[in-house]
Amino acid sequence: MSKKDRNKNRKRVLIIAIACGLIAVAVIVAVCLTVLPSRCSADNNGANTEQGSNTDTDEDSENNNETEDNNNDNDNDNNNDGDNPSTSVPPPEEEHRHSYTAQTTEPTCTEDGYTLYTCGCGDSYKADFKKAGHVYTNTVIPPTCTKKGYTLYECKRCEYSRQDNLTDANGHAEVIDKAVAADCIHTGLTEGKHCSECGIIILAQQPTEKTEHTYNKYVCTVCGSFDPNAPDTSGMQFELTSDRTGYCLTGAGTGYGTNVKIPSLYYGKPVKAIGAEAFQFCSGIQNILMPDSITEIGADAFYNCSGLKSINIPESVKSMGKRAFSGCTSLTFLKLPSHMNTIDESAFADCSSLSEINIPDGIASIAKYLLNGCSSLKNLAIGKDVASIGEDAFRDCNSLERITVSEENTTYTSQDRIMYNKEQTKAVLVPKLISGTVTLPDTLWSTDSMFLNCTKLEGVIFPDAMNTIGQKAFSGCTFLKTFTIPQNVKTIG
């Protein structure tokens, strides 16, 4: 009911109450006017009988009851028609004003959100509805060679996730691994395939066997070895050995050309040695084939054979004299017998094209100047029995990149391409072209001139215990980028 309607009702009740009051007053007055004259007439005449009096009284009482009944009826009518049963007019009620407090419930993934407004009188209602639903983050997962791509939607409020926008897998990006032909030195490989994206091997390459030698004029065109069926070269000079059990080849004489095959027998006895200076200055010789009967190569035997490209030194050779191959500037590879026990000084000095060499087990001492001037030497391997290294044995080996020492060696060792004494307190030989970053051993205490002119060195990791960096330790290291000096270092030379 509106405020206006309530005011109208109050006015109506007030009017009815006033009207009822006036009627009641009129009835009382009328009764009084009726009763009082009757009583007065009875007193004056004294002739009224009791019955008559009772009759009048009954009539009066009946009238009074009727009046009361009318009044009660009016009261009941008033009660039915108005809000107030009393004939008095109450003061108007003060209008209630709602005062709401708001409580917000956030939506979840499955329930709607809303704001609940509550009044102190108990009245409440909901409003400001927010729709339920997942709140997604999306991540694009690209396709791979074997798996589809998709967009991954993950709800931030719950663990629900879904995938959409599927894309097909890329498939492997096949790359052909070319076949490698075998030759008389190396095994080959069949053609293969791999994926350039994921690296998986689609078709593995299989090894193939070495091929037979391909000879041209008794020399293999691949490895340079001699045809064992080639005829002996005539014109060479021989002498009987002191024990008269064999011969020593003492000179090339007229029996040499581009390719030389030394005979294994001479007059029915084995050729045991190649004497001193036998082929020195024979610059036209390119290939030499030695027989298994040779046990010794004398001093200067092939000195300054500048055209010599390949030579097989048989396992039977035990010793090699001074400057035996010195000045063989075209010699690129040399395999030494595994059971040699002596290689004299300067044996390979100034072999400027030699790229690698293996000092075999059995060699106890590396003679002085052994590889002096081998400016192309990159890889050096040192056997287990080497116990000493002579003066300037590796002088001017400025292309050296790696040194490897046998783990069984009790005098020397190698770490990170550098040669140290066994205790790793001092570096013995550092490759001039060592590259990248080098980690030094914890026991190292001396670094004087250690990396002098190592032009490809990029970084050094020092041991924490090091307290001194020696003089000229990094002089000429033009490519050195960074290194950290340990806290314990007190002196820098």
Side-chain angles (χ1 to χ4, degrees):
M1 180 182 294
S2 67
K3 182 177 179 182
K4 185 176 181 181
D5 291 338
R6 286 197 295 269
N7 289 335
K8 286 181 180 181
N9 286 339
R10 288 193 184 100
K11 290 179 181 180
R12 188 182 299 115
V13 170
L14 183 61
I15 293 171
I16 293 172
I18 293 171
C20 291
L22 293 175
I23 292 172
V25 171
V27 170
I28 293 170
V29 172
V31 170
C32 291
L33 291 177
T34 303
V35 173
L36 289 176
S38 298
R39 290 183 182 273
C40 292
S41 176
D43 291 338
N44 292 328
N45 295 324
N48 290 336
T49 63
E50 184 178 356
Q51 186 176 359
S53 179
N54 290 337
T55 303
D56 293 335
T57 301
D58 292 337
E59 289 176 359
D60 291 339
S61 178
E62 194 173 337
N63 289 332
N64 288 334
N65 291 334
E66 185 177 359
T67 301
E68 289 176 5
D69 291 335
N70 290 333
N71 289 335
N72 289 333
D73 291 338
N74 289 332
D75 290 338
N76 290 333
D77 292 336
N78 290 337
N79 287 335
N80 293 331
D81 293 339
D83 293 335
N84 193 347
S86 174
T87 57
S88 63
V89 179
E93 294 181 1
E94 183 179 354
E95 182 179 6
H96 173 67
R97 297 179 180 273
H98 290 294
S99 178
Y100 294 101
T101 59
Q103 183 178 0
T104 301
T105 298
E106 294 295 331
T108 66
C109 297
T110 56
E111 299 289 337
D112 289 345
Y114 57 87
T115 300
L116 175 64
Y117 296 91
T118 305
C119 180
C121 69
D123 184 56
S124 65
Y125 68 94
K126 294 179 181 179
D128 304 332
F129 289 93
K130 297 179 181 179
K131 296 296 291 181
H134 297 290
V135 179
Y136 291 107
T137 59
N138 62 292
T139 304
V140 176
I141 307 299
T144 65
C145 299
T146 57
K147 295 182 180 180
K148 291 185 176 182
Y150 56 88
T151 301
L152 176 64
Y153 294 90
E154 296 177 292
C155 181
K156 295 191 291 186
R157 295 192 298 218
C158 69
E159 297 181 354
Y160 177 78
S161 65
R162 63 182 179 86
Q163 297 178 3
D164 202 355
N165 304 325
L166 295 178
T167 56
D168 292 335
N170 294 331
H172 292 300
E174 291 188 1
V175 175
I176 301 297
D177 299 316
K178 293 182 179 180
V180 178
D183 56 31
C184 56
I185 302 175
H186 308 99
T187 59
L189 290 172
T190 60
E191 184 179 280
K193 296 179 182 179
H194 74 274
C195 177
S196 62
E197 295 295 325
C198 67
I200 191 173
I201 302 299
I202 300 171
L203 178 62
Q205 291 182 288
Q206 301 297 325
T208 58
E209 296 293 330
K210 293 181 181 179
T211 63
E212 297 292 331
H213 292 288
T214 303
Y215 294 110
N216 181 24
K217 296 181 180 179
Y218 306 113
V219 178
C220 179
T221 58
V222 176
C223 67
S225 63
F226 270 82
D227 184 349
N229 298 317
D232 290 344
T233 302
S234 60
M236 296 180 184
Q237 300 170 352
F238 297 90
E239 290 182 2
L240 273 172
T241 58
S242 58
D243 60 4
R244 306 184 68 82
T245 59
Y247 283 90
C248 173
L249 192 158
T250 58
T254 60
Y256 75 91
T258 301
N259 303 310
V260 174
K261 181 182 178 182
I262 298 172
S264 59
L265 294 172
Y266 186 75
Y267 285 107
K269 291 185 179 182
V271 178
K272 292 184 175 182
I274 298 175
E277 304 177 0
F279 291 92
Q280 71 172 344
F281 299 113
C282 291
S283 59
I285 297 177
Q286 295 183 7
N287 304 287
I288 295 176
L289 180 63
M290 291 186 188
D292 292 339
S293 59
I294 301 293
T295 60
E296 179 184 348
I297 298 175
D300 299 309
F302 298 96
Y303 178 73
N304 210 21
C305 289
S306 57
L308 184 62
K309 295 180 180 180
S310 69
I311 184 172
N312 73 303
I313 301 178
E315 285 293 317
S316 57
V317 173
K318 304 299 181 185
S319 64
M320 186 179 297
K322 297 179 181 179
R323 299 177 298 278
F325 291 92
S326 179
C328 294
T329 55
S330 297
L331 191 63
T332 58
F333 176 77
L334 187 65
K335 182 180 179 181
L336 297 178
S338 58
H339 300 292
M340 288 188 74
N341 50 44
T342 303
I343 302 177
D344 215 333
E345 64 181 74
S346 302
F348 306 106
D350 298 317
C351 290
S352 56
S353 296
L354 190 65
S355 61
E356 62 179 276
I357 194 169
N358 183 3
I359 306 299
D361 296 337
I363 299 297
S365 177
I366 295 178
K368 61 181 180 180
Y369 314 123
L370 180 67
L371 294 164
N372 179 29
C374 292
S375 56
S376 297
L377 187 66
K378 294 182 178 180
N379 298 306
L380 172 64
I382 296 177
K384 67 178 183 178
D385 296 318
V386 173
S388 64
I389 299 175
E391 177 187 358
D392 291 333
F394 306 106
R395 183 178 179 181
D396 295 331
C397 294
N398 295 327
S399 296
L400 200 58
E401 297 176 356
R402 178 181 298 274
I403 303 169
T404 305
V405 179
S406 170
E407 294 181 358
E408 298 179 53
N409 192 298
T410 59
T411 305
Y412 302 105
T413 187
S414 58
Q415 177 182 308
D416 208 357
R417 299 159 290 169
I418 298 175
M419 182 178 179
Y420 299 93
N421 61 348
K422 194 64 176 180
E423 294 77 19
Q424 293 187 320
T425 58
K426 184 179 180 180
V428 176
L429 182 62
V430 178
K432 290 298 182 184
L433 291 187
I434 191 169
S435 60
T437 298
V438 173
T439 300
L440 301 181
D442 293 337
T443 53
L444 185 69
W445 58 265
S446 176
T447 58
D448 287 350
S449 304
M450 183 171 178
F451 295 102
L452 180 65
N453 295 326
C454 291
T455 56
K456 288 191 175 182
L457 182 68
E458 297 182 32
V460 177
I461 299 175
F462 291 97
D464 292 336
M466 179 169 283
N467 55 31
T468 301
I469 297 177
Q471 295 183 354
K472 298 182 180 180
F474 300 100
S475 178
C477 295
T478 56
F479 204 59
L480 187 63
K481 296 179 180 179
T482 180
F483 62 86
T484 301
I485 299 175
Q487 293 182 350
N488 292 328
V489 171
K490 306 300 182 185
T491 305
I492 299 178

